[in-house]
Structure formats: C-alpha cells, structure tokens
C-alpha cells in the first residue's frame, strides 16, 4: 500500500478566491450549471452554499461583524471538502461495496458500482455527499484518485494560490500543521487549533487549521460513526419482537387452556361465543 | 448546535414511507399467521392461513417501491452480487445490505406459505392443485412458519434500525425506532387481518378475539415507545412543530386513540346486548342466527381498519419526513 495521503487546509491563509472550486470542477468534469439552477445566494459571496454531488470543494465565507461593523469585523474563509475519514460512515453503510478505501487511505465512490440508494448521504457526519443530477450516482471528492495514481497533486491543491490547501503524505502534513499552530500561538493567535486529529473518527485525512469553534465553520464538534446505533437499536427492535411474540404465545396458550378448563358457559366476553359458533 | 444538524438529508420521501408501511404490514401479518399456526388451536388454522394470504400481496408492493426509489434502478442487483467481479455482496453491518437479503429471503418464506395457505383456502383458484396445501401442513409447515416469522420480525424492525444507523436528526438520536416500527406493524397487521377475517366470517371468526387483543397489546406498546421516544429526544421534538407535527398527531389519534375508543364503545354495546340476550334460548350458540355479532364484538369494521392503517402510514411519514426537512438542504 502506498503512503496515506491527504489535505491540510490552513484556513488562516485562505483568501476566498475559489480557484479550488473551479479547478475541481474543471478536472473532474463536473457540470457547472448546478443542475440547471444558476442561483445567486443574494446575501453572501458564497453562491456554492454546500458540498454536494456536483460541488466537491466549497469555499465557506463566514462573516463575523458586530452591529457597528467596526469593533469586530473579520472574514473566516474555509475551503471545505470530503474529510476522507479513517473511520468512514459512508463506507460503513454502503450496501453495494461501491465505496472503497484506496491504497492512499482515501475514500472513493466507484461510479460504475453506485446504485443511488442514498444510504451514504445521511451516514456522513459532515453532510458531504449528495447525488449528482447528471450521473444519478452519489458523488464527492475523490482526492483526485486518478491524478494521485500517476503521482500528480490534486487539482484544488495545485490551483490554490496561497497554499491554504496543502497536499502530501499525512505524516508530513501533520508535522507541518503542528509547526503552523505553534507559529500562530507564538504570534499571539492562541485560538488556532487543528480540527481532525486522531480523536475524530480515527483521524481525518483531510484536516483543518481553525481559529474559532467548529460550529462556526459548520462542522460538528464530535462527529460519530452511524454504526454506534447498530447494536442498541437492533436490541431494542429484538426486544419488541420478543415481547410481542411471547405475548402472542402466552395469550394463545392460556386462552386455549382456559377455554378447555372453564367449559362452554364462561370465558372472555363474547369471544367464546364466536368460537363455539364456528367450531366444527 | 447538535452535531446531527450538520448532515445532509437522504432524499428518502414517500416511496420509502410507503415501503415501510407495506413492509410492516406484510411482516406483521406473517407473524400473526405464524403465531396462530404454531400456538393456536385447530379452529384458528383458517385465520392463520389468512395471515399468510395477506402477507404476500403486501410484500409484493415493496421491491418496486425500493427499486424505483434508486437513482440508478437498473443497477439494483448490485445489492446482491458484486458488480465488478463474481461473488455475493453481503455486509451484515450495513442495514440496507442485510435488509435487502432479508427481504429476498422473507419473500421466499412468504411465497411458500402463501401458496400453502391458498391451496387450503375456500378461495383456491381451480388451477392451483389442492395437494400443494401440504406446504403449510405438519412439521414442515411449522418449521416454515417459525423461520418465516423470524425473518418477518426482522423486516418489521430493521427499517427503524436503518434510520438510526445514520447521523441524521431524530433518527440517529434514539435507538427506539426499530422497536416503534415493530409495534406499529403488529398493531396495523392485527387490524388488517382482523378486518379480512370479519369480512369472510364463518371459520375465520374464532381468531377474532385474539387478533383484537394482539392489536391492543401492540398499540399499547407502540404508544409507550412513542412517548419514550419523544421524551428521549427532548428539545429536538421541536422538529414536529409544523406540518409534520400534524402527521404525528394523526398517527396517534387515528392509529392509537380512535381505534381504542371505538373498541371500548363497541365492547360496551356488546356487553349490554349480551346481558339482555342472556337467558334466551340456545339460538345464541349460533351467533349469526340470533343477530348477535359472531365475533363477539371483536369484528374489525372498515372504519376501524382504515383508521389504524392511516395511523401507521402517518407515523412513518412523520418520522421520515420530519428529519428529511432538517439540516442543510
């Protein structure tokens, strides 16, 4: 197996140019018409709005302005992408084996195998995956699997003009990220931290340097695997089946015995009347 | 903000809701048939066969609904076979994978039981050989019933587990959905089988009191689980403020409160009539002749079954659609 590869996205140097979005769409030949809807958001420079089947990179614009727009005013920009989780929820629930882990430890949806059942959409803790309206299959970032196989850098990282998106072997990226956080801390930016270390889903192979709470960036604080619910939910269902099955068994048995022992003149209300009537 | 609100909806809408509904009916009817078959007396065998007769038609609605809901319906076989190499596709930890297989296998049980039941039924079509009734008889019939009931319970409950094994609001925030759907499926099926038995009368009548009690037991369990479910969710219940709350209200009123009230009223009326009729001549032994209801007040009317089925559908719609409407679109 090749070395685990990934993205380190340093949001502090993102300038919101969206070159990554364009490069991604261009290389991966994703429709630029947004499923026929060319809609402007009207309240933001962000007209992409979310990651989905035809947006595999999404530059988020977070505006933090106070009432007077002077005392507090900053833009947070973040180029969002599939996190290529080490423990991937989408891969777990995919019923066809269409979602695979590659030799680069990335997560890829094989387009010739996907049936569009959409099980992976709600399984992703980050809401990354959606159906591509052109191919009618689930799509998301592949970390440019085709480019990686021939030793090229993914399109977005290549196009990024500020090195906000960095690509490379995960070991090197983790080291770089650590150094960058230390550098920012030494400059007095104590709020800088890494989102996506081993504590989150075994590690996100695409991880971020953030300067505010995850929720501010639209990221869950403690993302979890869907399978955490598998056993407790199954046991609850099995419990219900056992209760109803046993109740059925016992009520049938006792009633039969009761009917035999008590004779034809009594029983539970009119029920016995009916039974007498139909007995051969 | 709850972590589940950063996730994307599955676009599972009415096709899936209707599948959950029919899947539950098919599974519940089979379980009722199997329980009557395995633990009931000889006088309940006709009603037991009725359970199997209801199960298969309800099940037949399911595969088309599921396949049409796929974005690439022509690839549905990827659920069972690897698409890129020979081999069987099965992931026990993926609810949709194990559910697909369970649906296929339950279909086999349901089909064989259906054929066995139809061959022994007065409605047997002339082209169906009567000797096929052996499929439902003897030890083979009991083994079939037991195995089929196991798969049926799985089908009734796995849909709720499938919703929970996600990261979506409401669904992933409780482990109770499988249990809730199981109880609801049993209640709705008992009402449906009871309705058909009431309509056909005669030999199908003896099982009516038990079916009625089964329906009430399942409805009671469903109500308890629903209350626990809402308590479990806490403030997240706000998701039902709006049209989906109306659906949830309908599920409770139509599916649980109204049928119970209807039964109470009828039981009272029946008891009063019973008191009046007591002491009269032996004509009462044959219910239909005395004008007395043959099922002893346990018949299910069209209104009764309609309410319960509408409630069962509304419950599934309320849970599926309310979550679908949340998070980033």
């Amino acid at each position: 197996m090749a070395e685990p590869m990934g993205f380190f996205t340093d949001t502090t140097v993102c300038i919101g140019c969206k070159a990554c979005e364009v490069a991604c769409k261009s290389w991966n030949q994703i429709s630029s018409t947004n499923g026929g809807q060319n809609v402007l958001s009207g309240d933001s420079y962000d007209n992409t709005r979310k990651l989905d089947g035809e947006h595999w990179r999404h530059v988020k614009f977070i505006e933090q302005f106070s009432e007077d727009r002077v005392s507090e005013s900053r833009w947070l920009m973040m180029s969002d992408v599939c996190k290529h989780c080490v423990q991937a929820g989408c891969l777990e629930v995919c019923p066809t084996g269409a979602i695979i882990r590659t030799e680069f430890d990335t997560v890829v949806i094989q387009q010739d195998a996907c049936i569009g059942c959409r099980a992976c959409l709600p399984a992703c803790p980050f809401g990354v995956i959606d159906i591509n309206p052109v191919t009618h299959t689930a799509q998301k970032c592949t970390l440019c699997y085709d480019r990686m196989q021939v030793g090229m850098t993914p399109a977005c990282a290549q196009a990024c003009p500020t090195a906000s998106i960095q690509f490379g072997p995960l070991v090197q990226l983790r080291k770089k990220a650590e150094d960058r956080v230390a550098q920012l801390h030494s400059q007095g930016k104590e709020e800088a931290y890494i989102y996506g270390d081993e504590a989150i889903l075994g590690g996100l192979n695409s991880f971020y340097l953030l300067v505010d709470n995850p929720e501010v960036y639209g990221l869950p604080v403690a993302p979890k695997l869907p399978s955490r619910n598998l056993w407790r939910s199954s046991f609850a269902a099995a419990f219900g089946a056992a209760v109803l099955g046993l109740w059925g068994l016992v009520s049938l048995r006792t009633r039969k015995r009761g009917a035999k022992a008590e004779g034809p003149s009594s029983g539970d209300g009119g029920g016995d009347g009916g039974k007498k009537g139909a007995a051969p | 903000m709850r972590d589940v609100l950063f996730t994307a909806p599955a676009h599972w809408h009415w096709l899936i809701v209707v599948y959950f509904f029919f899947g539950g009916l098919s599974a519940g009817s089979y379980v009722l048939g199997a329980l009557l078959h395995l633990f009931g007396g000889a006088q309940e065998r006709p009603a037991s066969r009725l359970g199997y007769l209801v199960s298969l038609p309800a099940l037949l609605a399911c595969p088309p609904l599921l396949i049409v809901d796929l974005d690439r319906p022509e690839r549905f076989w990827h659920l069972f076979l690897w698409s890129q190499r020979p081999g069987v596709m099965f992931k026990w930890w993926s609810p949709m994978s194990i559910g697909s297989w369970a649906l296929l296998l339950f279909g086999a049980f349901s089909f064989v039981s259906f054929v066995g039941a139809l061959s022994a039924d007065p409605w047997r079509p002339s082209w169906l050989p009567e000797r096929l009734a052996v499929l439902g008889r003897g030890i083979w019939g009991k083994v079939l019933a037991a195995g089929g009931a196991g798969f049926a319970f799985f089908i009734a409950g796995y849909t709720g587990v499938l919703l929970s094994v996600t990261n979506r609001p409401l669904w992933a925030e409780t482990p109770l959905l499988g249990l809730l759907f199981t109880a609801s499926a049993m209640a709705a099926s008992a009402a449906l089988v009871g309705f058909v038995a009431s309509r056909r009368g005669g030999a199908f009548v003896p099982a009516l009191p038990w079916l009625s009690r089964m329906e009430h037991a399942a409805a009671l369990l469903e109500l308890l689980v629903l209350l626990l479910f809402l308590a479990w969710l806490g403030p997240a219940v706000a998701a039902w403020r709006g049209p989906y709350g109306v659906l949830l209200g309908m599920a409770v009123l139509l599916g649980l409160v109204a049928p119970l009230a209807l039964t109470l009223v009828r039981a009272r009326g029946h008891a009063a009539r019973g008191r009046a009729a007591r002491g009269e001549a032996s004509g009462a032994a044959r219910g239909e002749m005395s004008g007395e209801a043959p099922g002893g007040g346990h018949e299910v009317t069209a209104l009764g079954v309609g309410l319960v089925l509408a409630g069962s559908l509304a419950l599934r719609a309320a849970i599926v659609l309310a979550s679908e409407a949340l998070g980033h679109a």
Side-chain angles (χ1 to χ4, degrees):
Chain A
M1 184 167 139
E3 219 179 336
M5 304 293 263
F7 286 131
F8 163 44
T9 306
D10 180 354
T11 63
T12 58
V13 292
C14 178
I15 55 172
C17 69
K18 306 190 199 176
C20 50
E21 285 192 27
V22 176
C24 174
K25 282 216 174 202
S26 174
W27 175 262
N28 292 299
Q29 300 186 322
I30 311 172
S31 158
S32 59
T33 59
N34 300 341
Q37 288 184 304
N38 256 320
V39 182
L40 299 179
S41 62
D43 61 357
S44 165
Y45 288 118
D46 176 6
N47 293 306
T48 307
R49 302 325 298 254
K50 60 186 170 65
L51 289 172
D52 59 30
E54 45 183 16
H55 300 98
W56 300 355
R57 269 278 175 193
H58 167 214
V59 180
K60 291 180 173 175
F61 289 68
I62 298 126
E63 301 170 35
Q64 294 182 322
F65 289 90
S66 54
E67 274 301 291
D68 57 8
R69 300 185 71 81
V70 177
S71 53
E72 191 201 347
S73 59
R74 78 169 169 176
W75 291 91
L76 296 177
M77 280 163 262
M78 171 195 166
S79 181
D80 198 11
V81 71
C82 169
K83 316 298 179 288
H84 296 276
C85 315
V86 170
Q87 293 161 9
C90 59
L91 193 153
E92 201 168 58
V93 301
C94 176
T96 63
I99 304 186
I100 56 159
R101 182 168 298 286
T102 71
E103 66 271 34
F104 303 106
D105 204 23
T106 57
V107 181
V108 167
I109 307 177
Q110 301 175 94
Q111 292 303 306
D112 56 347
C114 175
I115 62 174
C117 69
R118 310 190 292 284
C120 53
L121 275 58
C124 174
F126 305 99
V128 164
I129 313 173
D130 208 340
I131 294 294
N132 182 313
V134 178
T135 62
H136 301 289
T137 50
Q139 294 200 352
K140 67 169 189 70
C141 161
T142 67
L143 223 140
C144 281
Y145 188 33
D146 49 352
R147 289 170 69 99
M148 268 206 286
Q149 282 171 314
V150 293
M152 290 167 75
T153 298
C156 54
Q158 177 118 16
C160 180
T162 63
S164 170
I165 303 172
Q166 297 184 36
F167 166 78
L170 219 64
V171 188
Q172 290 178 22
L173 288 181
R174 294 272 179 211
K175 180 79 186 62
K176 261 191 204 174
E178 235 170 71
D179 293 348
R180 175 64 177 153
V181 170
Q183 184 188 27
L184 286 168
H185 284 185
S186 70
Q187 290 171 359
K189 272 199 140 336
E190 290 294 333
E191 64 271 33
Y193 70 101
I194 294 299
Y195 179 85
D197 55 14
E198 278 80 1
I200 291 182
L201 301 172
L204 305 181
N205 284 350
S206 169
F207 60 98
Y208 297 84
L209 190 158
L210 305 179
V211 293
D212 208 331
N213 295 325
E215 287 134 310
V216 171
Y217 294 90
L219 294 168
V221 176
K224 293 181 195 76
L225 282 174
S227 61
R228 72 187 181 281
N229 286 325
L230 184 59
W231 287 111
R232 51 187 207 138
S233 193
S234 300
F235 279 130
F239 169 77
V243 165
L244 289 171
L246 279 177
W247 197 90
L249 188 162
V250 170
S251 58
L252 273 170
R253 288 283 171 180
T254 53
R255 198 195 39 123
K256 218 161 60 172
R257 206 176 311 124
K260 239 178 252 164
E262 292 168 19
S265 61
S266 62
D268 55 335
D272 279 14
K275 190 160 40 170
K276 271 181 289 171
Chain B
M1 202 150 121
R2 285 137 66 210
D3 280 352
V4 287
L5 292 175
F6 295 109
T7 59
H11 316 308
W12 290 335
H13 297 137
W14 279 103
L15 287 173
I16 297 301
V17 171
V18 174
Y19 157 63
F20 284 3
F21 173 72
F22 279 112
L25 277 184
S26 174
S29 305
Y30 195 100
V31 168
L32 293 170
L35 282 173
L36 284 167
H37 186 167
L38 293 170
F39 308 117
Q43 78 276 16
E44 276 132 358
R45 280 295 284 130
S48 154
R49 287 195 289 268
L50 206 54
Y52 302 142
L53 288 176
V54 171
S55 174
L56 186 73
L59 187 65
L60 287 179
C62 299
L65 286 166
L66 290 174
I67 292 173
V68 167
D69 188 66
L70 296 177
D71 281 272
R72 295 296 291 260
E74 81 283 7
R75 292 181 176 176
F76 80 92
W77 58 272
H78 293 192
L79 288 164
F80 302 106
L81 299 171
W82 279 99
S83 52
Q84 298 131 322
R85 59 180 170 82
V88 168
M89 180 65 231
F90 176 65
K91 284 167 76 171
W92 63 263
W93 60 94
S94 159
M96 200 181 284
S97 177
I98 196 169
S100 305
W101 280 102
L103 201 59
L104 193 72
L105 294 174
F106 175 57
F109 279 96
S110 185
F111 176 75
V112 176
S113 294
F114 178 86
V115 172
L118 192 61
S119 310
D121 194 271
W123 283 355
R124 177 179 65 87
S126 54
W127 49 263
L128 190 70
E130 204 168 348
R131 63 176 187 281
L132 278 180
V134 302
L135 290 176
R137 286 207 196 105
I139 186 73
W140 157 257
K142 298 218 165 190
V143 169
L144 191 72
F151 278 105
F153 266 131
F154 188 94
I155 293 296
Y158 100 93
T159 50
V161 176
L162 183 135
L163 293 183
S164 284
V165 181
T166 61
N167 270 307
R168 292 293 292 158
L170 313 181
W171 300 350
E173 292 174 301
T174 159
L176 295 172
L177 286 183
L179 171 54
L180 182 66
F181 285 0
T182 302
S184 156
M186 289 298 285
S189 305
L192 181 61
V193 175
F195 171 68
V196 182
S198 308
R199 270 301 167 89
R200 295 187 69 181
F204 300 98
V205 166
L208 279 179
W210 180 77
L211 283 171
S212 165
R213 288 168 66 189
M214 199 68 205
E215 182 195 336
H216 296 151
L220 193 67
L221 180 65
E222 181 187 344
L223 191 63
L224 288 176
V225 176
L226 191 61
L227 291 175
L228 189 61
F229 170 62
L230 295 178
W232 196 299
L233 288 176
V237 167
W240 280 295
R241 238 178 255 148
Y244 304 115
V246 177
L247 276 177
L248 193 66
M250 275 173 63
V252 175
L253 281 180
L254 299 184
L256 297 169
V257 176
L260 282 173
L262 209 65
T263 309
L264 271 179
V265 169
R266 286 158 50 83
R268 245 184 229 163
H270 176 75
R273 272 194 313 262
R275 270 194 300 279
R278 198 153 297 152
E280 273 183 19
S282 61
R286 193 123 197 114
E288 298 95 342
M289 285 180 182
S290 67
E292 180 73 7
H298 293 289
E299 293 90 350
V300 181
T301 59
L303 176 68
V305 72
L307 286 173
V308 175
L309 293 186
S312 168
L313 185 65
L315 176 77
R316 285 157 176 78
I319 287 169
V320 172
L321 302 180
S323 176
E324 280 291 308
L326 292 172
H328 85 56

